[in-house]
Amino acid sequence: MYESGEDYLEAILMLQNEKGTVRSVDVARKLGVSKPSVSRAMGILKDGGYLEDGESTELHLTKKGIEKATDIYSRHRLLTEFLVKITGVPEDQAEKNACRIEHDIDVDIVAGIQAWMKKNKNG
């Protein structure tokens, strides 16, 4: 999956957690993209089995979509917390960097960061 697809899935999950229901216009606002861009991305995500093809205007993640989006969001949060902890930068700066890193990081690096964070949780 491409980085932009991961960004869309993560945005849908976050919006769903915040608002309960998600529409394409909500995703466009959150990501700062056009409605046609969201429409195209939603078609690709539906074809990939990440979104249900419903009759309403609401977007619904499939089980596969929820699992992928949760994984992406978990990496994002882990990397944000890690960057804040090891560099001392503000959370918003760490979050912007985590967003760029989360798409390319190897799973063994994520596992190492998780282990380090667990070992160093107090301090």
Side-chain angles (χ1 to χ4, degrees):
M1 171 174 286
Y2 291 105
E3 182 177 324
S4 62
E6 290 185 351
D7 287 341
Y8 280 104
L9 284 176
E10 185 179 19
I12 293 167
L13 179 68
M14 291 170 71
L15 287 164
Q16 194 171 4
N17 290 339
E18 292 168 17
K19 300 175 76 167
T21 59
V22 182
R23 298 169 301 137
S24 293
V25 67
D26 302 320
V27 176
R29 273 191 219 117
K30 180 154 187 80
L31 295 177
V33 296
S34 68
K35 290 180 198 172
S37 294
V38 173
S39 180
R40 181 176 179 280
M42 296 308 104
I44 292 169
L45 292 174
K46 284 178 188 174
D47 290 346
Y50 297 100
L51 279 177
E52 292 178 349
D53 196 8
E55 292 183 24
S56 72
T57 59
E58 294 177 10
L59 302 173
H60 298 281
L61 295 169
T62 61
K63 182 179 180 202
K64 178 181 176 180
I66 291 169
E67 289 172 358
K68 183 70 173 175
T70 300
D71 179 58
I72 296 161
Y73 185 67
S74 294
R75 277 185 306 199
H76 182 101
R77 292 303 319 144
L78 174 71
L79 289 166
T80 299
E81 292 170 23
F82 180 70
L83 292 172
V84 167
K85 187 164 190 128
I86 65 167
T87 67
V89 298
E91 187 168 347
D92 62 330
Q93 182 181 2
E95 191 161 346
K96 288 176 188 171
N97 282 270
C99 194
R100 291 192 301 265
I101 297 168
E102 72 190 14
H103 303 289
D104 295 320
I105 194 166
D106 296 331
V107 291
D108 55 338
I109 301 294
V110 171
I113 292 171
Q114 287 170 328
W116 188 90
M117 290 293 285
K118 186 175 181 180
K119 183 179 173 184
N120 295 282
K121 65 181 174 186
N122 296 330

